[in-house]
Amino acid sequence: MGSSFHTAIFCDKSLKITFRLLFAQTEIHTYSVFLFYGSMTRIPLAGSQGKYDYDLLVIGGGSGGLACSKEGECIVLCVTGTKWGLGGTCVNVGCIPKKLMHQAALLGTAVKDAKKYGWQIPDTISHDWPTMAEAIQNHVKSLNWGHRVQLQDKKVKYMNLKGSLVDEHTVRGLSKAGKETVLTAKNIVIATGGRPKYPTNIPGAAEHGITNVALECAGFLKGIGLDTTVMVRSIALRGFDQQMASLVTDYMEAHGTRFAWKSVPNRVDKLSSGALQVTWTDTQTGSEHKDTFDSVLWAVGRAPETKALGLDKLGVQLNKETGKIVVGPDESTSVPNIYAFGDIGEGRPELTPTAIKAGKLLAHRLAGQSTELMNYDNVPTTVFTPLEYSCVGLSEEEAEKRHGKDGIEIYHAFYKPLEFTVAERDASQCYIKVVCEQGGNGKILGLHFTGPNAGEVAQGFAMGFQCGATYSHLIQTVGIHPTCAEEVVKVHITKRSG
């Protein structure tokens, strides 16, 4: 695959929509839960000696489900029905391979920078996709195996079945061979995540498209030399601070990624040459456009497959708009003994670390080891675009909405990473924003950072949010010189000052 590979990415919101990666010619699918009927076979009694086969049964073999399973002292059964290895979206086609591909693109930039640092580099360098894909897939397979070993070590019984609920204590599972098994448990936990959505009103979208993360995927594709266009129907990075989102996309545009703003796709047609022709409309001018691409990638949202779980028959309450399960602070549903967490829970962050932590805490509570609830406030996250963006807490828009424009103070600064100086790289989008309460010590409401290693920077500052960090605490902190992170503790100019 050479630099002529042409990719179109369509997005309305560039969040964590990660389900199928462009691994050479490999297509990977997963469906955790389906509804099915037929004859049934009951497994022998194991685990909970008494009324039920098991103390705890987990539906979902992703990050959250596995974390919950491994924490339980009782015997736990994972019922997933995956067609890939254990680990769910994050391990197989999400966070892990995405970050590694992002690293591949960063290395390409580093090679270019190396010349300015004295390294003798050939004028022409190229990237080999199959080599990268094989290496990443091998790592993913090692993680799959690692999860299976950990389950065995924890005495967790794993069954690769497609599961649906019969009642609040019973799950019906279907094997790949079509054999059905009925399992009973004192408590049932649902952690099946979500599935990508295709625009059903656009002819050819599902037939010819794949799905992934919009800006992150566009970033590493362009970074390894592939021609990439991103179509945005409304705004990029919906739900994030929009000033920061603009810095991210400005950087990407400045480094060669094309954007078709305020545009909507009309259809996708496969030509006799094998190329995909996309027709779209510019909503600002009303004009229609066409172009051809080698690959079309959709990132227009994701939804849970709650219908396949049979929840409606049990009376489990769902959000009518999103289809997600309505859950309480303790991850309980409207039906006793049935719990849900992770992406399938209404109002929960669609992030792997929150699912992992929530799963562990839920297992501890069900085992009577703890009463601690998951704290969903001030969860840090990072967008691994070419210029990384990390944040924790409120966006400027949300802070203003909650506290009023006069109730917040915003400290901000542009900065230039030391690494960029010798390489003569553009740092005009490297920016820090700290959103604080107005008055008093200035409690920090939100922290936003664009620049190298953004996730590493924000992870440390995120702990301060759990301790009630204030602006006074921030400026009293001694920075580590010379780092990008030290620029955060130096911010002193307010937006209000002009």
Side-chain angles (χ1 to χ4, degrees):
M1 184 180 297
S3 60
S4 63
F5 189 81
H6 200 191
T7 304
I9 298 176
F10 303 94
C11 69
D12 184 40
K13 51 182 181 180
S14 182
L15 298 178
K16 304 286 183 187
I17 309 161
T18 48
F19 295 90
R20 197 162 45 158
L21 277 174
L22 306 175
F23 277 170
Q25 302 300 317
T26 302
E27 291 187 354
I28 306 175
H29 307 266
T30 182
Y31 298 96
S32 288
V33 289
F34 278 91
L35 189 62
F36 45 83
Y37 304 91
S39 60
M40 299 175 290
T41 302
R42 181 170 296 280
I43 64 170
L45 184 67
S48 194
Q49 299 300 315
K51 190 174 182 181
Y52 306 109
D53 299 332
Y54 296 92
D55 294 313
L56 177 63
L57 189 151
V58 179
I59 303 178
S63 300
L66 290 174
C68 184
S69 301
K70 294 171 187 176
E71 290 296 311
E73 288 188 344
C74 56
I75 294 180
V76 185
L77 179 67
C78 290
V79 183
T80 58
T82 62
K83 292 186 179 180
W84 51 36
L86 278 171
T89 296
C90 176
V91 167
N92 292 279
V93 293
C95 314
I96 299 300
K98 175 268 305 279
K99 177 70 181 296
L100 291 173
M101 289 185 172
H102 171 61
Q103 175 64 12
L106 292 181
L107 288 172
T109 301
V111 169
K112 297 173 184 176
D113 289 351
K115 292 183 178 181
K116 295 290 181 68
Y117 281 92
W119 287 96
Q120 301 300 305
I121 306 293
D123 291 335
T124 303
I125 59 173
S126 62
H127 179 269
D128 183 64
W129 180 280
T131 299
M132 177 192 70
E134 182 181 6
I136 293 175
Q137 286 179 323
N138 287 340
H139 177 65
V140 169
K141 289 173 183 176
S142 73
L143 296 178
N144 298 150
W145 177 254
H147 281 304
R148 188 173 289 274
V149 170
Q150 290 169 22
L151 289 176
Q152 291 175 346
D153 290 344
K154 296 287 185 179
K155 293 182 171 53
V156 176
K157 184 171 183 179
Y158 170 69
M159 296 182 71
N160 190 0
L161 305 173
K162 296 176 183 177
S164 65
L165 282 79
V166 177
D167 58 41
E168 64 268 29
H169 294 292
T170 309
V171 169
R172 183 188 287 118
L174 179 68
S175 70
K176 292 180 181 179
K179 182 180 179 181
E180 294 186 350
T181 303
V182 171
L183 314 162
T184 64
K186 180 180 178 182
N187 294 301
I188 297 173
V189 172
I190 303 171
T192 52
R195 299 292 175 268
K197 293 192 295 186
Y198 285 89
T200 56
N201 61 329
I202 299 174
E207 295 91 330
H208 307 306
I210 58 177
T211 59
N212 213 279
V213 184
L215 294 190
E216 292 179 328
C217 200
F220 70 67
L221 287 173
K222 180 59 185 175
I224 61 176
L226 306 180
D227 185 19
T228 308
T229 300
V230 180
M231 182 179 294
V232 187
R233 292 184 291 181
S234 53
I235 59 174
L237 294 175
R238 184 182 301 278
F240 287 86
D241 187 291
Q242 283 302 291
Q243 180 189 10
M244 307 304 293
S246 294
L247 292 171
V248 168
T249 54
D250 286 349
Y251 184 92
M252 293 178 67
E253 283 192 291
H255 290 77
T257 301
R258 289 195 293 272
F259 282 81
W261 295 100
K262 305 294 183 182
S263 296
V264 293
N266 300 325
R267 62 181 302 109
V268 180
D269 298 294
K270 191 168 186 177
L271 305 179
S272 58
S273 63
L276 301 177
Q277 179 178 272
V278 179
T279 305
W280 73 90
T281 299
D282 184 324
T283 58
Q284 298 180 101
T285 64
S287 59
E288 187 174 272
H289 302 271
K290 291 182 179 180
D291 202 348
T292 57
F293 304 89
D294 295 294
S295 180
V296 173
L297 188 154
W298 301 97
V300 294
R302 55 181 172 176
E305 285 193 18
T306 42
K307 291 182 180 179
L309 283 165
L311 300 179
D312 52 339
K313 295 181 179 180
L314 275 66
V316 175
Q317 184 181 357
L318 305 178
N319 181 291
K320 293 181 179 179
E321 293 184 3
T322 65
K324 294 188 175 185
I325 301 173
V326 176
V327 291
D330 61 349
E331 324 300 348
S332 62
T333 70
S334 58
V335 176
N337 307 107
I338 297 179
Y339 299 83
F341 67 94
D343 292 7
I344 202 169
E346 177 60 35
R348 299 307 194 218
E350 295 185 352
L351 297 169
T352 294
T354 53
I356 291 174
K357 190 168 183 62
K360 290 180 178 180
L361 292 175
L362 174 59
H364 292 168
R365 293 195 300 273
L366 293 177
Q369 299 172 343
S370 170
T371 58
E372 183 182 356
L373 299 176
M374 175 64 187
N375 179 8
Y376 288 100
D377 293 329
N378 298 320
V379 173
T381 190
T382 297
V383 181
F384 290 102
T385 38
L387 183 70
E388 296 178 8
Y389 165 38
S390 197
C391 60
V392 56
L394 303 181
S395 64
E396 181 177 347
E397 293 90 346
E398 184 61 27
E400 186 173 316
K401 180 180 177 181
R402 295 190 190 185
H403 300 273
K405 193 168 186 177
D406 294 331
I408 60 174
E409 192 75 270
I410 297 174
Y411 299 87
H412 66 152
F414 285 94
Y415 71 99
K416 188 163 190 174
L418 182 63
E419 303 93 312
F420 283 22
T421 55
V422 172
E424 299 179 324
R425 287 175 59 185
D426 178 25
S428 57
Q429 284 85 29
C430 292
Y431 178 73
I432 298 163
K433 178 194 292 188
V434 182
V435 183
C436 303
E437 283 185 353
Q438 175 70 280
N441 291 324
K443 181 180 178 180
I444 301 177
L445 304 173
L447 189 148
H448 304 264
F449 179 98
T450 55
N453 305 301
E456 311 296 344
V457 173
Q459 181 68 81
F461 286 106
M463 189 179 74
F465 278 71
Q466 303 303 318
C467 305
T470 66
Y471 178 70
S472 296
H473 292 138
L474 188 68
I475 60 174
Q476 290 169 13
T477 302
V478 177
I480 300 174
H481 186 72
T483 65
C484 294
E486 75 168 318
E487 302 297 332
V488 178
V489 304
K490 291 160 57 177
V491 292
H492 64 281
I493 298 174
T494 66
K495 276 194 173 183
R496 196 185 305 274
S497 71

